[in-house]
PDB file of all heavy atoms in Angstrom:
ATOM      1  N   LEU A 869     192.247  33.234 140.517  1.00 93.00           N
ATOM      2  CA  LEU A 869     191.178  34.201 140.287  1.00 93.00           C
ATOM      3  C   LEU A 869     190.844  34.331 138.808  1.00 93.00           C
ATOM      4  O   LEU A 869     189.809  34.888 138.453  1.00 93.00           O
ATOM      5  CB  LEU A 869     191.569  35.564 140.864  1.00 93.00           C
ATOM      6  CG  LEU A 869     191.813  35.586 142.374  1.00 93.00           C
ATOM      7  CD1 LEU A 869     192.207  36.989 142.827  1.00 93.00           C
ATOM      8  CD2 LEU A 869     190.592  35.099 143.144  1.00 93.00           C
ATOM      9  N   THR A 870     191.713  33.826 137.950  1.00 92.00           N
ATOM     10  CA  THR A 870     191.410  33.740 136.526  1.00 92.00           C
ATOM     11  C   THR A 870     190.768  32.396 136.234  1.00 92.00           C
ATOM     12  O   THR A 870     191.092  31.388 136.861  1.00 92.00           O
ATOM     13  CB  THR A 870     192.690  33.879 135.686  1.00 92.00           C
ATOM     14  OG1 THR A 870     193.720  33.044 136.243  1.00 92.00           O
ATOM     15  CG2 THR A 870     193.184  35.301 135.657  1.00 92.00           C
ATOM     16  N   ALA A 871     189.845  32.360 135.267  1.00 91.00           N
ATOM     17  CA  ALA A 871     189.188  31.115 134.897  1.00 91.00           C
ATOM     18  C   ALA A 871     190.182  30.185 134.206  1.00 91.00           C
ATOM     19  O   ALA A 871     191.208  30.619 133.670  1.00 91.00           O
ATOM     20  CB  ALA A 871     188.003  31.395 133.982  1.00 91.00           C
ATOM     21  N   ILE A 872     189.855  28.904 134.182  1.00 90.00           N
ATOM     22  CA  ILE A 872     190.780  27.896 133.656  1.00 90.00           C
ATOM     23  C   ILE A 872     191.181  28.182 132.217  1.00 90.00           C
ATOM     24  O   ILE A 872     192.335  27.971 131.827  1.00 90.00           O
ATOM     25  CB  ILE A 872     190.166  26.487 133.770  1.00 90.00           C
ATOM     26  CG1 ILE A 872     191.175  25.435 133.291  1.00 90.00           C
ATOM     27  CG2 ILE A 872     188.845  26.380 133.026  1.00 90.00           C
ATOM     28  CD1 ILE A 872     190.739  24.023 133.540  1.00 90.00           C
ATOM     29  N   TYR A 873     190.261  28.680 131.410  1.00 92.00           N
ATOM     30  CA  TYR A 873     190.563  28.907 130.000  1.00 92.00           C
ATOM     31  C   TYR A 873     191.376  30.179 129.785  1.00 92.00           C
ATOM     32  O   TYR A 873     191.780  30.465 128.658  1.00 92.00           O
ATOM     33  CB  TYR A 873     189.267  28.942 129.181  1.00 92.00           C
ATOM     34  CG  TYR A 873     188.171  29.795 129.766  1.00 92.00           C
ATOM     35  CD1 TYR A 873     188.058  31.141 129.444  1.00 92.00           C
ATOM     36  CD2 TYR A 873     187.245  29.242 130.636  1.00 92.00           C
ATOM     37  CE1 TYR A 873     187.048  31.918 129.982  1.00 92.00           C
ATOM     38  CE2 TYR A 873     186.225  30.017 131.175  1.00 92.00           C
ATOM     39  CZ  TYR A 873     186.135  31.345 130.851  1.00 92.00           C
ATOM     40  OH  TYR A 873     185.135  32.123 131.379  1.00 92.00           O
ATOM     41  N   GLN A 874     191.621  30.963 130.854  1.00 93.00           N
ATOM     42  CA  GLN A 874     192.444  32.165 130.756  1.00 93.00           C
ATOM     43  C   GLN A 874     193.853  31.946 131.314  1.00 93.00           C
ATOM     44  O   GLN A 874     194.680  32.853 131.274  1.00 93.00           O
ATOM     45  CB  GLN A 874     191.769  33.302 131.531  1.00 93.00           C
ATOM     46  CG  GLN A 874     190.376  33.645 131.027  1.00 93.00           C
ATOM     47  CD  GLN A 874     189.564  34.418 132.044  1.00 93.00           C
ATOM     48  OE1 GLN A 874     190.068  34.802 133.100  1.00 93.00           O
ATOM     49  NE2 GLN A 874     188.289  34.648 131.746  1.00 93.00           N
ATOM     50  N   ASN A 875     194.128  30.739 131.831  1.00 91.00           N
ATOM     51  CA  ASN A 875     195.400  30.429 132.479  1.00 91.00           C
ATOM     52  C   ASN A 875     196.273  29.530 131.629  1.00 91.00           C
ATOM     53  O   ASN A 875     195.768  28.740 130.810  1.00 91.00           O
ATOM     54  CB  ASN A 875     195.139  29.656 133.786  1.00 91.00           C
ATOM     55  CG  ASN A 875     194.993  30.568 134.981  1.00 91.00           C
ATOM     56  OD1 ASN A 875     195.499  31.676 134.981  1.00 91.00           O
ATOM     57  ND2 ASN A 875     194.294  30.092 135.987  1.00 91.00           N
ATOM     58  N   HIS A 876     197.578  29.591 131.877  1.00 91.00           N
ATOM     59  CA  HIS A 876     198.429  28.502 131.417  1.00 91.00           C
ATOM     60  C   HIS A 876     197.993  27.251 132.171  1.00 91.00           C
ATOM     61  O   HIS A 876     197.735  27.294 133.377  1.00 91.00           O
ATOM     62  CB  HIS A 876     199.900  28.814 131.722  1.00 91.00           C
ATOM     63  CG  HIS A 876     200.856  27.893 131.032  1.00 91.00           C
ATOM     64  ND1 HIS A 876     201.130  26.623 131.489  1.00 91.00           N
ATOM     65  CD2 HIS A 876     201.606  28.060 129.912  1.00 91.00           C
ATOM     66  CE1 HIS A 876     202.006  26.044 130.693  1.00 91.00           C
ATOM     67  NE2 HIS A 876     202.310  26.895 129.713  1.00 91.00           N
ATOM     68  N   PRO A 877     197.866  26.099 131.487  1.00 91.00           N
ATOM     69  CA  PRO A 877     197.351  24.906 132.170  1.00 91.00           C
ATOM     70  C   PRO A 877     198.066  24.567 133.472  1.00 91.00           C
ATOM     71  O   PRO A 877     197.421  24.165 134.453  1.00 91.00           O
ATOM     72  CB  PRO A 877     197.543  23.801 131.124  1.00 91.00           C
ATOM     73  CG  PRO A 877     197.431  24.516 129.821  1.00 91.00           C
ATOM     74  CD  PRO A 877     198.086  25.848 130.048  1.00 91.00           C
ATOM     75  N   THR A 878     199.383  24.746 133.528  1.00 89.00           N
ATOM     76  CA  THR A 878     200.116  24.389 134.749  1.00 89.00           C
ATOM     77  C   THR A 878     199.850  25.353 135.895  1.00 89.00           C
ATOM     78  O   THR A 878     200.254  25.083 137.029  1.00 89.00           O
ATOM     79  CB  THR A 878     201.631  24.324 134.474  1.00 89.00           C
ATOM     80  OG1 THR A 878     202.090  25.599 134.021  1.00 89.00           O
ATOM     81  CG2 THR A 878     201.950  23.268 133.425  1.00 89.00           C
ATOM     82  N   ALA A 879     199.165  26.466 135.617  1.00 88.00           N
ATOM     83  CA  ALA A 879     198.836  27.428 136.680  1.00 88.00           C
ATOM     84  C   ALA A 879     197.467  27.172 137.285  1.00 88.00           C
ATOM     85  O   ALA A 879     197.034  27.922 138.157  1.00 88.00           O
ATOM     86  CB  ALA A 879     198.898  28.855 136.128  1.00 88.00           C
ATOM     87  N   ASN A 880     196.773  26.123 136.831  1.00 89.00           N
ATOM     88  CA  ASN A 880     195.440  25.838 137.344  1.00 89.00           C
ATOM     89  C   ASN A 880     195.526  25.007 138.624  1.00 89.00           C
ATOM     90  O   ASN A 880     195.142  23.838 138.674  1.00 89.00           O
ATOM     91  CB  ASN A 880     194.609  25.119 136.276  1.00 89.00           C
ATOM     92  CG  ASN A 880     194.178  26.061 135.177  1.00 89.00           C
ATOM     93  OD1 ASN A 880     193.670  27.143 135.438  1.00 89.00           O
ATOM     94  ND2 ASN A 880     194.408  25.664 133.947  1.00 89.00           N
ATOM     95  N   PHE A 881     196.044  25.629 139.669  1.00 89.00           N
ATOM     96  CA  PHE A 881     196.198  24.942 140.946  1.00 89.00           C
ATOM     97  C   PHE A 881     194.851  24.797 141.637  1.00 89.00           C
ATOM     98  O   PHE A 881     193.868  25.461 141.316  1.00 89.00           O
ATOM     99  CB  PHE A 881     197.173  25.699 141.850  1.00 89.00           C
ATOM    100  CG  PHE A 881     196.653  27.013 142.379  1.00 89.00           C
ATOM    101  CD1 PHE A 881     195.876  27.062 143.530  1.00 89.00           C
ATOM    102  CD2 PHE A 881     196.950  28.209 141.733  1.00 89.00           C
ATOM    103  CE1 PHE A 881     195.402  28.268 144.028  1.00 89.00           C
ATOM    104  CE2 PHE A 881     196.469  29.418 142.224  1.00 89.00           C
ATOM    105  CZ  PHE A 881     195.698  29.449 143.372  1.00 89.00           C
ATOM    106  N   ILE A 882     194.803  23.913 142.599  1.00 91.00           N
ATOM    107  CA  ILE A 882     193.637  23.742 143.456  1.00 91.00           C
ATOM    108  C   ILE A 882     194.137  23.426 144.859  1.00 91.00           C
ATOM    109  O   ILE A 882     194.993  22.552 145.033  1.00 91.00           O
ATOM    110  CB  ILE A 882     192.684  22.639 142.928  1.00 91.00           C
ATOM    111  CG1 ILE A 882     191.599  22.285 143.959  1.00 91.00           C
ATOM    112  CG2 ILE A 882     193.457  21.374 142.570  1.00 91.00           C
ATOM    113  CD1 ILE A 882     190.547  23.307 144.119  1.00 91.00           C
ATOM    114  N   SER A 883     193.672  24.176 145.837  1.00 93.00           N
ATOM    115  CA  SER A 883     193.989  23.862 147.230  1.00 93.00           C
ATOM    116  C   SER A 883     192.762  24.193 148.061  1.00 93.00           C
ATOM    117  O   SER A 883     191.774  24.728 147.554  1.00 93.00           O
ATOM    118  CB  SER A 883     195.221  24.625 147.725  1.00 93.00           C
ATOM    119  OG  SER A 883     194.939  26.006 147.868  1.00 93.00           O
ATOM    120  N   MET A 884     192.817  23.881 149.331  1.00 95.00           N
ATOM    121  CA  MET A 884     191.688  24.131 150.218  1.00 95.00           C
ATOM    122  C   MET A 884     192.197  24.589 151.569  1.00 95.00           C
ATOM    123  O   MET A 884     193.312  24.276 151.974  1.00 95.00           O
ATOM    124  CB  MET A 884     190.816  22.879 150.355  1.00 95.00           C
ATOM    125  CG  MET A 884     190.157  22.455 149.035  1.00 95.00           C
ATOM    126  SD  MET A 884     189.301  20.872 149.099  1.00 95.00           S
ATOM    127  CE  MET A 884     187.907  21.310 150.115  1.00 95.00           C
ATOM    128  N   ARG A 885     191.349  25.352 152.254  1.00 95.00           N
ATOM    129  CA  ARG A 885     191.640  25.844 153.593  1.00 95.00           C
ATOM    130  C   ARG A 885     192.971  26.585 153.687  1.00 95.00           C
ATOM    131  O   ARG A 885     193.729  26.427 154.632  1.00 95.00           O
ATOM    132  CB  ARG A 885     191.580  24.698 154.597  1.00 95.00           C
ATOM    133  CG  ARG A 885     190.160  24.294 154.938  1.00 95.00           C
ATOM    134  CD  ARG A 885     190.081  23.393 156.143  1.00 95.00           C
ATOM    135  NE  ARG A 885     188.683  23.290 156.588  1.00 95.00           N
ATOM    136  CZ  ARG A 885     188.270  22.424 157.501  1.00 95.00           C
ATOM    137  NH1 ARG A 885     189.127  21.600 158.066  1.00 95.00           N
ATOM    138  NH2 ARG A 885     187.004  22.373 157.861  1.00 95.00           N
ATOM    139  N   GLY A 886     193.273  27.388 152.673  1.00 93.00           N
ATOM    140  CA  GLY A 886     194.403  28.296 152.753  1.00 93.00           C
ATOM    141  C   GLY A 886     195.767  27.660 152.715  1.00 93.00           C
ATOM    142  O   GLY A 886     196.751  28.309 153.084  1.00 93.00           O
ATOM    143  N   LEU A 887     195.868  26.418 152.230  1.00 92.00           N
ATOM    144  CA  LEU A 887     197.174  25.756 152.237  1.00 92.00           C
ATOM    145  C   LEU A 887     198.101  26.271 151.154  1.00 92.00           C
ATOM    146  O   LEU A 887     199.262  25.869 151.097  1.00 92.00           O
ATOM    147  CB  LEU A 887     196.996  24.239 152.097  1.00 92.00           C
ATOM    148  CG  LEU A 887     196.408  23.555 153.330  1.00 92.00           C
ATOM    149  CD1 LEU A 887     196.256  22.062 153.075  1.00 92.00           C
ATOM    150  CD2 LEU A 887     197.274  23.792 154.560  1.00 92.00           C
ATOM    151  N   GLY A 888     197.620  27.131 150.309  1.00 80.00           N
ATOM    152  CA  GLY A 888     198.515  27.731 149.319  1.00 80.00           C
ATOM    153  C   GLY A 888     198.515  26.931 148.040  1.00 80.00           C
ATOM    154  O   GLY A 888     198.266  25.730 148.017  1.00 80.00           O
ATOM    155  N   GLY A 889     198.784  27.624 146.974  1.00 63.00           N
ATOM    156  CA  GLY A 889     198.838  26.991 145.669  1.00 63.00           C
ATOM    157  C   GLY A 889     199.927  27.639 144.850  1.00 63.00           C
ATOM    158  O   GLY A 889     201.093  27.385 145.053  1.00 63.00           O
ATOM    159  N   GLY A 890     199.519  28.515 143.958  1.00 60.00           N
ATOM    160  CA  GLY A 890     200.503  29.142 143.082  1.00 60.00           C
ATOM    161  C   GLY A 890     200.872  28.186 141.968  1.00 60.00           C
ATOM    162  O   GLY A 890     200.350  27.083 141.834  1.00 60.00           O
ATOM    163  N   HIS A 891     201.795  28.603 141.151  1.00 58.00           N
ATOM    164  CA  HIS A 891     202.180  27.826 139.986  1.00 58.00           C
ATOM    165  C   HIS A 891     202.839  26.514 140.411  1.00 58.00           C
ATOM    166  O   HIS A 891     203.724  26.476 141.254  1.00 58.00           O
ATOM    167  CB  HIS A 891     203.125  28.641 139.104  1.00 58.00           C
ATOM    168  CG  HIS A 891     202.478  29.864 138.541  1.00 58.00           C
ATOM    169  ND1 HIS A 891     201.761  29.861 137.375  1.00 58.00           N
ATOM    170  CD2 HIS A 891     202.396  31.136 139.019  1.00 58.00           C
ATOM    171  CE1 HIS A 891     201.282  31.071 137.135  1.00 58.00           C
ATOM    172  NE2 HIS A 891     201.657  31.865 138.114  1.00 58.00           N
ATOM    173  N   HIS A 892     202.370  25.406 139.829  1.00 65.00           N
ATOM    174  CA  HIS A 892     202.979  24.078 139.976  1.00 65.00           C
ATOM    175  C   HIS A 892     202.814  23.496 141.379  1.00 65.00           C
ATOM    176  O   HIS A 892     203.556  22.585 141.744  1.00 65.00           O
ATOM    177  CB  HIS A 892     204.470  24.106 139.600  1.00 65.00           C
ATOM    178  CG  HIS A 892     204.732  24.646 138.229  1.00 65.00           C
ATOM    179  ND1 HIS A 892     204.777  23.844 137.116  1.00 65.00           N
ATOM    180  CD2 HIS A 892     204.925  25.911 137.771  1.00 65.00           C
ATOM    181  CE1 HIS A 892     205.015  24.579 136.039  1.00 65.00           C
ATOM    182  NE2 HIS A 892     205.104  25.846 136.408  1.00 65.00           N
ATOM    183  N   VAL A 893     201.870  23.961 142.180  1.00 77.00           N
ATOM    184  CA  VAL A 893     201.656  23.403 143.517  1.00 77.00           C
ATOM    185  C   VAL A 893     200.167  23.133 143.696  1.00 77.00           C
ATOM    186  O   VAL A 893     199.348  24.022 143.506  1.00 77.00           O
ATOM    187  CB  VAL A 893     202.165  24.346 144.624  1.00 77.00           C
ATOM    188  CG1 VAL A 893     201.871  23.746 145.992  1.00 77.00           C
ATOM    189  CG2 VAL A 893     203.663  24.583 144.477  1.00 77.00           C
ATOM    190  N   VAL A 894     199.827  21.896 144.071  1.00 88.00           N
ATOM    191  CA  VAL A 894     198.444  21.484 144.250  1.00 88.00           C
ATOM    192  C   VAL A 894     198.327  20.782 145.591  1.00 88.00           C
ATOM    193  O   VAL A 894     199.123  19.899 145.915  1.00 88.00           O
ATOM    194  CB  VAL A 894     198.000  20.536 143.116  1.00 88.00           C
ATOM    195  CG1 VAL A 894     196.629  19.953 143.402  1.00 88.00           C
ATOM    196  CG2 VAL A 894     197.989  21.281 141.785  1.00 88.00           C
ATOM    197  N   ARG A 895     197.324  21.180 146.382  1.00 93.00           N
ATOM    198  CA  ARG A 895     197.156  20.583 147.709  1.00 93.00           C
ATOM    199  C   ARG A 895     195.701  20.185 147.962  1.00 93.00           C
ATOM    200  O   ARG A 895     195.182  20.343 149.055  1.00 93.00           O
ATOM    201  CB  ARG A 895     197.675  21.540 148.788  1.00 93.00           C
ATOM    202  CG  ARG A 895     199.174  21.804 148.658  1.00 93.00           C
ATOM    203  CD  ARG A 895     199.748  22.590 149.823  1.00 93.00           C
ATOM    204  NE  ARG A 895     201.183  22.767 149.673  1.00 93.00           N
ATOM    205  CZ  ARG A 895     201.779  23.885 149.264  1.00 93.00           C
ATOM    206  NH1 ARG A 895     201.047  24.947 148.962  1.00 93.00           N
ATOM    207  NH2 ARG A 895     203.093  23.947 149.164  1.00 93.00           N
ATOM    208  N   ALA A 896     195.032  19.674 146.948  1.00 95.00           N
ATOM    209  CA  ALA A 896     193.695  19.099 147.088  1.00 95.00           C
ATOM    210  C   ALA A 896     193.532  18.030 146.013  1.00 95.00           C
ATOM    211  O   ALA A 896     194.076  18.147 144.911  1.00 95.00           O
ATOM    212  CB  ALA A 896     192.608  20.158 146.958  1.00 95.00           C
ATOM    213  N   LEU A 897     192.792  16.990 146.353  1.00 96.00           N
ATOM    214  CA  LEU A 897     192.555  15.878 145.437  1.00 96.00           C
ATOM    215  C   LEU A 897     191.213  16.079 144.746  1.00 96.00           C
ATOM    216  O   LEU A 897     190.212  16.402 145.382  1.00 96.00           O
ATOM    217  CB  LEU A 897     192.552  14.561 146.214  1.00 96.00           C
ATOM    218  CG  LEU A 897     192.211  13.292 145.431  1.00 96.00           C
ATOM    219  CD1 LEU A 897     193.277  12.999 144.383  1.00 96.00           C
ATOM    220  CD2 LEU A 897     192.041  12.105 146.374  1.00 96.00           C
ATOM    221  N   VAL A 898     191.188  15.874 143.426  1.00 96.00           N
ATOM    222  CA  VAL A 898     189.949  15.966 142.657  1.00 96.00           C
ATOM    223  C   VAL A 898     189.676  14.605 142.023  1.00 96.00           C
ATOM    224  O   VAL A 898     190.561  14.013 141.388  1.00 96.00           O
ATOM    225  CB  VAL A 898     190.025  17.064 141.584  1.00 96.00           C
ATOM    226  CG1 VAL A 898     188.712  17.146 140.807  1.00 96.00           C
ATOM    227  CG2 VAL A 898     190.337  18.414 142.224  1.00 96.00           C
ATOM    228  N   LEU A 899     188.450  14.124 142.212  1.00 96.00           N
ATOM    229  CA  LEU A 899     188.040  12.812 141.715  1.00 96.00           C
ATOM    230  C   LEU A 899     186.902  12.968 140.721  1.00 96.00           C
ATOM    231  O   LEU A 899     186.095  13.894 140.815  1.00 96.00           O
ATOM    232  CB  LEU A 899     187.561  11.926 142.867  1.00 96.00           C
ATOM    233  CG  LEU A 899     188.489  11.744 144.066  1.00 96.00           C
ATOM    234  CD1 LEU A 899     187.740  11.066 145.209  1.00 96.00           C
ATOM    235  CD2 LEU A 899     189.711  10.918 143.681  1.00 96.00           C
ATOM    236  N   LEU A 900     186.822  12.041 139.781  1.00 95.00           N
ATOM    237  CA  LEU A 900     185.680  11.909 138.888  1.00 95.00           C
ATOM    238  C   LEU A 900     185.089  10.527 139.126  1.00 95.00           C
ATOM    239  O   LEU A 900     185.712   9.513 138.781  1.00 95.00           O
ATOM    240  CB  LEU A 900     186.105  12.082 137.428  1.00 95.00           C
ATOM    241  CG  LEU A 900     184.997  11.932 136.379  1.00 95.00           C
ATOM    242  CD1 LEU A 900     183.909  12.986 136.574  1.00 95.00           C
ATOM    243  CD2 LEU A 900     185.567  12.015 134.965  1.00 95.00           C
ATOM    244  N   ASP A 901     183.946  10.479 139.782  1.00 94.00           N
ATOM    245  CA  ASP A 901     183.331   9.204 140.180  1.00 94.00           C
ATOM    246  C   ASP A 901     184.308   8.338 140.971  1.00 94.00           C
ATOM    247  O   ASP A 901     184.407   7.124 140.771  1.00 94.00           O
ATOM    248  CB  ASP A 901     182.834   8.442 138.948  1.00 94.00           C
ATOM    249  CG  ASP A 901     181.673   9.145 138.257  1.00 94.00           C
ATOM    250  OD1 ASP A 901     180.849   9.750 138.968  1.00 94.00           O
ATOM    251  OD2 ASP A 901     181.608   9.097 137.019  1.00 94.00           O
ATOM    252  N   GLY A 902     185.038   8.984 141.880  1.00 94.00           N
ATOM    253  CA  GLY A 902     185.956   8.258 142.748  1.00 94.00           C
ATOM    254  C   GLY A 902     187.308   7.947 142.148  1.00 94.00           C
ATOM    255  O   GLY A 902     188.151   7.323 142.808  1.00 94.00           O
ATOM    256  N   ILE A 903     187.577   8.404 140.914  1.00 95.00           N
ATOM    257  CA  ILE A 903     188.844   8.153 140.218  1.00 95.00           C
ATOM    258  C   ILE A 903     189.617   9.473 140.131  1.00 95.00           C
ATOM    259  O   ILE A 903     189.067  10.488 139.713  1.00 95.00           O
ATOM    260  CB  ILE A 903     188.607   7.603 138.802  1.00 95.00           C
ATOM    261  CG1 ILE A 903     187.764   6.321 138.853  1.00 95.00           C
ATOM    262  CG2 ILE A 903     189.930   7.355 138.093  1.00 95.00           C
ATOM    263  CD1 ILE A 903     188.400   5.162 139.551  1.00 95.00           C
ATOM    264  N   PRO A 904     190.914   9.511 140.515  1.00 95.00           N
ATOM    265  CA  PRO A 904     191.650  10.782 140.511  1.00 95.00           C
ATOM    266  C   PRO A 904     191.811  11.360 139.113  1.00 95.00           C
ATOM    267  O   PRO A 904     192.103  10.629 138.157  1.00 95.00           O
ATOM    268  CB  PRO A 904     193.015  10.411 141.117  1.00 95.00           C
ATOM    269  CG  PRO A 904     193.138   8.932 140.942  1.00 95.00           C
ATOM    270  CD  PRO A 904     191.750   8.385 141.000  1.00 95.00           C
ATOM    271  N   ILE A 905     191.619  12.696 138.986  1.00 95.00           N
ATOM    272  CA  ILE A 905     191.829  13.369 137.696  1.00 95.00           C
ATOM    273  C   ILE A 905     192.816  14.528 137.804  1.00 95.00           C
ATOM    274  O   ILE A 905     192.957  15.291 136.850  1.00 95.00           O
ATOM    275  CB  ILE A 905     190.513  13.838 137.058  1.00 95.00           C
ATOM    276  CG1 ILE A 905     189.791  14.847 137.957  1.00 95.00           C
ATOM    277  CG2 ILE A 905     189.626  12.672 136.702  1.00 95.00           C
ATOM    278  CD1 ILE A 905     188.642  15.549 137.248  1.00 95.00           C
ATOM    279  N   ASN A 906     193.500  14.696 138.947  1.00 95.00           N
ATOM    280  CA  ASN A 906     194.644  15.615 138.959  1.00 95.00           C
ATOM    281  C   ASN A 906     195.640  15.141 137.921  1.00 95.00           C
ATOM    282  O   ASN A 906     195.884  13.932 137.778  1.00 95.00           O
ATOM    283  CB  ASN A 906     195.320  15.615 140.325  1.00 95.00           C
ATOM    284  CG  ASN A 906     194.444  16.170 141.427  1.00 95.00           C
ATOM    285  OD1 ASN A 906     193.571  15.473 141.915  1.00 95.00           O
ATOM    286  ND2 ASN A 906     194.684  17.405 141.826  1.00 95.00           N
ATOM    287  N   ASP A 907     196.236  16.065 137.185  1.00 96.00           N
ATOM    288  CA  ASP A 907     197.222  15.671 136.186  1.00 96.00           C
ATOM    289  C   ASP A 907     198.336  14.870 136.858  1.00 96.00           C
ATOM    290  O   ASP A 907     198.921  15.329 137.845  1.00 96.00           O
ATOM    291  CB  ASP A 907     197.805  16.904 135.501  1.00 96.00           C
ATOM    292  CG  ASP A 907     198.778  16.541 134.404  1.00 96.00           C
ATOM    293  OD1 ASP A 907     198.328  16.320 133.279  1.00 96.00           O
ATOM    294  OD2 ASP A 907     199.991  16.467 134.694  1.00 96.00           O
ATOM    295  N   PRO A 908     198.662  13.669 136.370  1.00 96.00           N
ATOM    296  CA  PRO A 908     199.638  12.822 137.065  1.00 96.00           C
ATOM    297  C   PRO A 908     201.044  13.414 137.134  1.00 96.00           C
ATOM    298  O   PRO A 908     201.781  13.130 138.078  1.00 96.00           O
ATOM    299  CB  PRO A 908     199.636  11.523 136.242  1.00 96.00           C
ATOM    300  CG  PRO A 908     198.354  11.542 135.477  1.00 96.00           C
ATOM    301  CD  PRO A 908     198.070  12.988 135.212  1.00 96.00           C
ATOM    302  N   PHE A 909     201.417  14.244 136.153  1.00 97.00           N
ATOM    303  CA  PHE A 909     202.773  14.798 136.097  1.00 97.00           C
ATOM    304  C   PHE A 909     202.880  16.116 136.856  1.00 97.00           C
ATOM    305  O   PHE A 909     203.810  16.334 137.630  1.00 97.00           O
ATOM    306  CB  PHE A 909     203.177  15.008 134.639  1.00 97.00           C
ATOM    307  CG  PHE A 909     204.643  15.309 134.423  1.00 97.00           C
ATOM    308  CD1 PHE A 909     205.539  14.296 134.129  1.00 97.00           C
ATOM    309  CD2 PHE A 909     205.122  16.613 134.503  1.00 97.00           C
ATOM    310  CE1 PHE A 909     206.889  14.573 133.920  1.00 97.00           C
ATOM    311  CE2 PHE A 909     206.461  16.897 134.310  1.00 97.00           C
ATOM    312  CZ  PHE A 909     207.353  15.876 134.020  1.00 97.00           C
TER     313      PHE A 909
END
């Protein structure tokens, strides 16, 4: 609920359809022109 520039970078989770997120958990894939841009680590 906080914008990306107001968060610690590792708290910028992304999920969809209620699968949950929270700190250090990501459950959706983000692509830039078909190339993944989720942080690899």
Side-chain angles (χ1 to χ4, degrees):
L869 299 179
T870 46
I872 183 172
Y873 47 90
Q874 301 161 6
N875 269 335
H876 192 281
T878 60
N880 286 312
F881 70 85
I882 170 73
S883 70
M884 296 172 71
R885 284 193 167 170
L887 289 179
H891 296 273
H892 305 270
V893 178
V894 172
R895 297 188 178 102
L897 175 65
V898 181
L899 307 169
L900 179 61
D901 293 325
I903 303 296
I905 61 168
N906 294 79
D907 183 86
F909 192 94

